[in-house]
Amino acid sequence: FPKHADLLVYDQNTNGVFLDHWQSPAIRGLVLRYAARLIQEGHLTLDDLPPEASWDRFFQVLETQPTLWTDFMRELDEIKQQETAGLVNWLKSRYDIPWETNPTQPIGSDMRRVVPYKALDTLVFILHHEPYRQRFLKSGVRLVVGGRAFGDYRLMLEILQGLIAEHKLEERIAVIPDYNIGMAQRHIYRGVNAVLMLSQKLQEAAHTSSQKGMSNAAISVSVRNGAALDWLRDWSEDFSGDRGNGLWIEYEGRHPSDPAYLDWLQQLAREHRDWMQEGDLTSRPSAESLLTDLEELGATWRDPSKRVLRQYDALKTGMVDADLTYRQARGILAFPEAKRRMV
């Protein structure tokens, strides 16, 4: 609507991840309970909370109350461990996946459409390449992988399943063959501790998977692309008063850091020409960078003091920056009534 640009509001949002649908009832109950306590003690009013305002004010005030904040993070960690145990039990009962509950072993997910630009091959190469595979095993991280596969790229899931069988990786990698939105909402995004966001450079948009995970205190491990540029700060960027809230995955460049990965991918691309153009190879996520992030994630989960803070920061980001439906609605309602009718 070029003639009506002055009537439009852009709130840095690209989709509608509805927090009420995706957030665990247990986590939502925790937040509401602490919000009620802050109201009772005179630190907040109802007007400081959704739908009238964002959750930003709640988190700001909570962090000014050290005892409450510490108790909140402890209870969040307890709830998250219960949700993760529920995911493990569901995987075991539905797919006979031989996992046990272990709070020091985080579970990450890569549950997205299996198409070339979403770069599942970056993760598959880590399991294919012996030095990387050994580093992954030492990290302690477990991963659930799946999604609807399209075209010849579905071969990537077959390669992944072959690697799991060949190297006996069943206790570390679980493939979900019948992924659907129901299990995503009830089990996967409530239980995982991290969400991977892999994609070809300049081809990611909304990062909805990360937003669903963060609303349930899962860490975003993401490429520098799309909507995450608005809200993700790497843990290495911590500084006083503004902590990092996730992990960046870097891209391969003109001078690639992973020649073995690109050689392997180039060979596959020659055999399946619809996957990618030759020039796209240097715009893939770096396998080395992803692996380093997984190592960092595993080390963090073995340190309870770090784990509880990182989960809290993920939840805060999910509820403040990924609360897109309410934010967009508030933006529309901010129009004068006459302008809303015109739009």
Side-chain angles (χ1 to χ4, degrees):
F1 304 97
K3 295 181 180 179
H4 304 288
D6 61 316
L7 303 181
L8 301 178
V9 171
Y10 174 64
D11 197 25
Q12 296 186 348
N13 299 324
T14 55
N15 70 70
V17 173
F18 191 31
L19 200 63
D20 293 20
H21 287 170
W22 287 97
Q23 190 168 53
S24 155
I27 291 179
R28 174 53 65 91
L30 174 70
V31 171
L32 292 177
R33 182 156 46 84
Y34 275 77
R37 185 167 173 182
L38 289 171
I39 290 172
Q40 290 170 356
E41 296 179 1
H43 303 297
L44 285 177
T45 70
L46 286 174
D47 290 340
D48 293 323
L49 301 174
E52 286 77 11
S54 81
W55 284 105
D56 192 27
R57 179 65 177 159
F58 164 78
F59 288 105
Q60 288 177 358
V61 173
L62 179 64
E63 292 177 26
T64 68
Q65 307 297 312
T67 301
L68 279 182
W69 185 25
T70 299
D71 289 346
F72 181 92
M73 289 191 288
R74 174 183 52 78
E75 290 192 54
L76 176 62
D77 187 51
E78 292 170 356
I79 290 171
K80 192 63 190 179
Q81 289 188 44
Q82 293 169 4
E83 300 280 11
T84 303
L87 171 61
V88 169
N89 291 334
W90 177 76
L91 290 170
K92 189 180 297 184
S93 63
R94 184 178 178 93
Y95 302 107
D96 198 28
I97 292 172
W99 289 7
E100 299 295 335
T101 301
N102 185 342
T104 67
Q105 278 195 292
I107 299 175
S109 71
D110 187 1
M111 307 297 299
R112 310 169 72 212
R113 285 182 295 127
V114 183
V115 292
Y117 89 86
K118 290 188 181 286
L120 176 60
D121 47 82
T122 306
L123 175 60
V124 171
F125 179 74
I126 289 174
L127 305 176
H128 163 81
H129 190 49
E130 174 70 18
Y132 282 4
R133 185 171 62 252
Q134 293 305 318
R135 286 173 58 189
F136 170 74
L137 291 173
K138 291 178 181 178
S139 75
V141 174
R142 296 179 286 186
L143 296 171
V144 289
V145 181
R148 291 177 296 152
F150 295 84
D152 285 349
Y153 196 71
R154 71 182 61 248
L155 177 64
M156 200 55 63
L157 281 177
E158 297 173 14
I159 295 173
L160 174 61
Q161 290 169 317
L163 290 168
I164 293 171
E166 179 183 357
H167 300 290
K168 304 188 186 319
L169 300 173
E170 293 85 357
E171 294 187 0
R172 302 298 296 278
I173 307 288
V175 176
I176 308 298
D178 54 350
Y179 175 72
N180 61 60
I181 192 171
M183 65 176 63
Q185 187 175 0
R186 290 189 297 271
H187 303 288
I188 295 171
Y189 285 106
R190 291 181 186 178
V192 296
N193 307 112
V195 176
L196 308 187
M197 289 298 296
L198 299 164
S199 73
Q200 182 83 8
K201 194 171 186 178
L202 301 181
Q203 293 191 21
E204 188 56 61
H207 285 250
T208 51
S209 295
S210 282
Q211 293 162 20
K212 294 164 189 173
M214 289 187 305
S215 69
N216 289 289
I219 308 304
S220 178
V221 182
S222 172
V223 290
R224 292 183 184 267
N225 203 345
L229 293 170
D230 291 333
W231 43 254
L232 194 145
R233 297 181 307 279
D234 194 87
W235 290 346
S236 66
E237 298 169 9
D238 278 357
F239 57 91
S240 179
D242 194 9
R243 294 178 303 275
N245 57 10
L247 291 165
W248 283 126
I249 303 168
E250 304 296 344
Y251 282 105
E252 290 292 346
R254 294 176 181 267
H255 304 288
S257 61
D258 275 333
Y261 164 53
L262 294 184
D263 288 346
W264 173 79
L265 189 60
Q266 190 172 40
Q267 180 178 347
L268 290 175
R270 289 189 186 118
E271 297 171 3
H272 304 274
R273 294 182 181 275
D274 63 328
W275 282 11
M276 65 192 74
Q277 300 297 316
E278 197 79 16
D280 292 340
L281 293 175
T282 57
S283 299
R284 304 300 277 181
S286 163
E288 167 66 34
S289 180
L290 171 58
L291 179 56
T292 300
D293 285 350
L294 294 177
E295 291 171 327
E296 178 71 11
L297 180 69
T300 297
W301 247 247
R302 291 189 291 273
D303 184 335
S305 63
K306 289 183 178 179
R307 182 183 70 228
V308 297
L309 183 60
R310 297 309 191 185
Q311 288 176 153
Y312 168 83
D313 287 332
L315 176 66
K316 177 181 175 180
T317 304
M319 295 189 70
V320 173
D321 295 306
D323 185 16
L324 301 186
T325 304
Y326 280 119
R327 289 179 66 187
Q328 290 169 340
R330 283 192 295 271
I332 293 171
L333 292 174
F335 288 134
E337 184 176 353
K339 290 185 177 181
R340 289 204 301 273
R341 284 202 301 269
M342 291 179 65
V343 174

